[in-house]
Amino acid sequence: MDIEIHSDFANANIDEIKDVYASVGWMKHTNEIIRQVFEASNVVALVKVNGRIIGIGRGMTDGVFNAAIYDVVVHRDFQRQGIAKKIMEFLLDKLSNVSCVHLISTTGNEGFYRKFRFKKLKTGMARYINPSLSDEYLE
C-alpha cells in the first residue's frame, strides 16, 4: 500500500474527504462545511493511498501556547492499519513547539489518544448546542 501524507488542502478532492466522514457515519459534513472547517484550520493532514484520500486530520493553533486537534478520521475500509497513528504523528510534529494541545476524543477512542500522552483535563469544559452531543460528552 502506497501511503502519502501531506497538508495541501487547496488541491484536495472534497468529495473524497466527504466519503471518509460518511464511512464512519458523520453525515452532516457537506462539501461547503468541509471547505469551511479545513480552510479555517492552520494544520491539516490528508492521507492518500493510491492517489485517493482515505484519512484526514486537522488542527487550529496560535503557534505558541495552545492548539486543538479535530477530526482524526480514517475511512472505514482502511482502519486498523496504523493510518490514524500516522495522522496523529504528523499533526503533533507540526504542533511540536506549542505548549498545550487539546483534543476531544470520540467515545471509545480515548485509549488510542493516551498512546500519544493525552490525559483527561481536570478543568476542561465545553458547551454543545446539540443535546445528544451534550449528553454524550458532558457531565
Side-chain angles (χ1 to χ4, degrees), residues 111-125:
F112 171 74
Y113 294 108
R114 283 190 192 100
K115 294 175 185 176
F116 298 95
R117 299 188 336 229
F118 281 89
K119 296 180 180 182
K120 287 190 174 187
L121 292 169
K122 292 179 183 178
T123 59
M125 301 178 86

Side-chain angles (χ1 to χ4, degrees), residues 9 12-21 34 46 53 56:
F9 178 72
N13 183 325
I14 294 179
D15 288 327
E16 291 176 354
I17 296 172
K18 184 177 180 181
D19 187 47
V20 172
Y21 282 120
I34 291 167
L46 301 170
I53 297 174
I56 56 175

Side-chain angles (χ1 to χ4, degrees), residues 47-65:
V47 178
K48 288 185 174 185
V49 170
N50 300 324
R52 173 183 159 211
I53 297 174
I54 55 88
I56 56 175
R58 63 186 187 88
M60 300 172 82
T61 182
D62 61 21
V64 179
F65 297 112

Side-chain angles (χ1 to χ4, degrees), residues 100-114:
C100 179
V101 178
H102 297 90
L103 177 140
I104 296 175
S105 171
T106 49
T107 303
N109 291 316
E110 299 88 349
F112 171 74
Y113 294 108
R114 283 190 192 100

